[in-house]
Amino acid sequence: MKFLRFIAMLSSAACFNLPLHAELVDAIKAVVNNGVVTYAEVEDFVTPAVQALQREYAGQPAIFRQKLDDALNDGQEQLIERQLILHAFDTEGYRLPDTVVDELVQERIHERFGDRITLMKTLQAQGQTYEKFRREVRDQYIVSALRAKSTSPEKFIISPYKVETYYLSHQDDFKVEDEVKLRMIVLNKTSSDDTNTVRLAQIKEGATFQEMATVYSQDSQRSQGGDRGWVERSVLRKELAAVAFALKPGQVSEVVDLPEACYLMQVEQARPAHVKPLSEVRDDVELTLRTQAQKQLEQQWIAQLKKKTYWRLY
């Protein structure tokens, strides 16, 4: 397609924000009943995503082109769905009073611009009218409200059986590596001849590890007595992990002297690799199942709208 080739050309040249060719500015990409989706609207909609892709996949043109195609297809579909939903709002007896729209507009102005004067200056700089801005606020609210209505919680139930079945069939998702419950004292180095090693050796002979961490440690966990909670081996840098996972519960390490800082560690407890029990992950499983159910309901709703609404791609 000419449009896709043109977008790919612009993106690979890192100039996606350039305007479309004149013949494509108002060209129609899709028709949804009496509404249209133009090529320019698709370009505007996906521009933030494309800019992010350019940064993430710089130097990887093949991957970038695939991600770009996905972004364009997704943007096109979202804009078509938007038109379908707005058409459903108009034909299914819904109504949004002008007073409500005015309140929504004032909230948006306050959140994004601060005041109306700043809004008007911004719209003028963008070549946009206040009427278009107001219509976009209205349409965004309608689309959001009807999407939420289509997936309201009473439309699905997450039973204990579903939760347990998902948990048993996704055991790998809940595996945990070997862990230690760790406390740490950190002394940052300001020069190569810092005497942190000596200081930590002295600290080791002081009061409880927790008390010493509260007094001496120079990291963000100082106020918690150096408490790092349960830590997996892969979370720690390899030099610290090698020492921490060799300690027995209650044991304090020797000083670990690294270029940027010196470390002293205490392991309070240890536990081997295991699968988290269902009681520990039940809320996460329920959230995953709820999200999946909501997505499925929304897809079914959009499919129904497509069946009863005239729409066509070009």
Side-chain angles (χ1 to χ4, degrees):
M1 295 173 61
K2 184 177 181 182
F3 174 66
L4 295 183
R5 291 197 301 270
F6 179 67
I7 293 298
M9 176 186 71
L10 290 179
S11 300
S12 62
C15 57
F16 185 77
N17 57 339
L18 292 176
L20 290 166
H21 287 313
E23 69 270 19
L24 288 179
V25 170
D26 296 318
I28 294 174
K29 178 61 180 166
V31 170
V32 182
N33 196 53
N34 294 326
V36 298
V37 175
T38 67
Y39 284 93
E41 286 175 328
V42 176
E43 182 196 45
D44 289 343
F45 188 81
V46 302
T47 292
V50 172
Q51 291 171 342
L53 291 173
Q54 287 173 330
R55 293 190 295 269
E56 185 175 355
Y57 297 103
Q60 303 179 69
I63 298 177
F64 172 77
R65 281 194 296 270
Q66 180 59 55
K67 297 291 184 180
L68 174 62
D69 287 343
D70 293 342
L72 288 167
N73 291 332
D74 182 66
Q76 171 186 291
E77 179 61 24
Q78 288 191 54
L79 289 174
I80 291 173
E81 290 180 5
R82 182 173 181 269
Q83 289 294 333
L84 287 167
I85 295 169
L86 291 173
H87 177 66
F89 179 86
D90 291 336
T91 59
E92 294 179 12
Y94 296 105
R95 182 173 175 272
L96 188 63
D98 288 342
T99 54
V100 175
V101 179
D102 290 337
E103 291 177 4
L104 293 170
V105 169
Q106 290 306 312
E107 288 177 5
R108 181 68 61 84
I109 292 174
H110 177 72
E111 292 171 359
R112 291 184 53 187
F113 304 97
D115 55 60
R116 188 181 178 89
I117 294 176
T118 304
L119 165 69
M120 297 308 293
K121 289 181 179 178
T122 303
L123 294 180
Q124 185 178 14
Q126 296 174 345
Q128 186 176 342
T129 65
Y130 176 79
E131 289 72 22
K132 182 180 179 183
F133 170 77
R134 186 178 188 277
R135 185 170 62 251
E136 287 179 350
V137 171
R138 170 189 179 274
D139 290 351
Q140 287 172 5
Y141 177 81
I142 289 171
V143 171
S144 177
L146 290 192
R147 282 188 186 277
K149 183 177 183 298
S150 75
T151 59
S152 55
E154 64 268 16
K155 293 189 176 183
F156 53 86
I157 298 175
I158 306 301
S159 68
Y161 173 76
K162 288 182 179 179
V163 171
E164 185 173 354
T165 300
Y166 182 92
Y167 170 76
L168 292 174
S169 60
H170 293 79
Q171 293 282 282
D172 287 348
D173 295 344
F174 308 113
K175 285 182 178 179
V176 180
E177 304 173 26
D178 292 341
E179 294 179 302
V180 291
K181 197 169 188 301
L182 186 67
R183 289 187 186 273
M184 186 181 295
I185 296 174
V186 182
L187 293 183
N188 298 317
K189 291 184 178 180
T190 58
S191 65
S192 58
D193 58 351
D194 269 355
T195 58
N196 287 346
T197 299
V198 175
R199 289 179 63 199
L200 279 177
Q202 295 170 342
I203 290 170
K204 187 177 179 182
E205 303 303 321
T208 67
F209 194 95
Q210 180 177 349
E211 291 170 341
M212 291 297 98
T214 302
V215 174
Y216 294 105
S217 190
Q218 297 174 341
D219 69 337
S220 59
Q221 275 70 39
R222 174 177 177 171
S223 61
Q224 286 79 45
D227 187 10
R228 301 300 180 99
W230 285 101
V231 179
E232 296 180 32
R233 183 185 294 271
S234 60
V235 172
L236 295 172
R237 57 186 297 174
K238 61 182 181 180
E239 297 92 342
L240 296 177
V243 175
F245 281 84
L247 296 174
K248 296 179 180 179
Q251 193 174 5
V252 177
S253 72
E254 297 299 325
V255 177
V256 182
D257 190 357
L258 296 178
E260 79 290 344
C262 289
Y263 302 83
L264 199 63
M265 296 178 286
Q266 181 187 52
V267 168
E268 295 185 332
Q269 299 178 54
R271 57 189 181 193
H274 63 284
V275 176
K276 292 182 180 179
L278 178 57
S279 59
E280 204 173 300
V281 299
R282 182 179 296 277
D283 289 346
D284 293 336
V285 172
E286 287 186 358
L287 178 59
T288 298
L289 291 173
R290 194 172 301 279
T291 300
Q292 291 177 350
Q294 287 176 321
K295 184 176 181 180
Q296 184 177 10
L297 279 175
E298 184 173 319
Q299 290 173 339
Q300 292 171 351
W301 176 57
I302 292 296
Q304 291 171 358
L305 293 182
K306 285 183 175 181
K307 285 182 179 180
K308 61 183 181 181
T309 305
Y310 173 79
W311 68 284
R312 180 180 176 185
L313 286 174
Y314 289 90

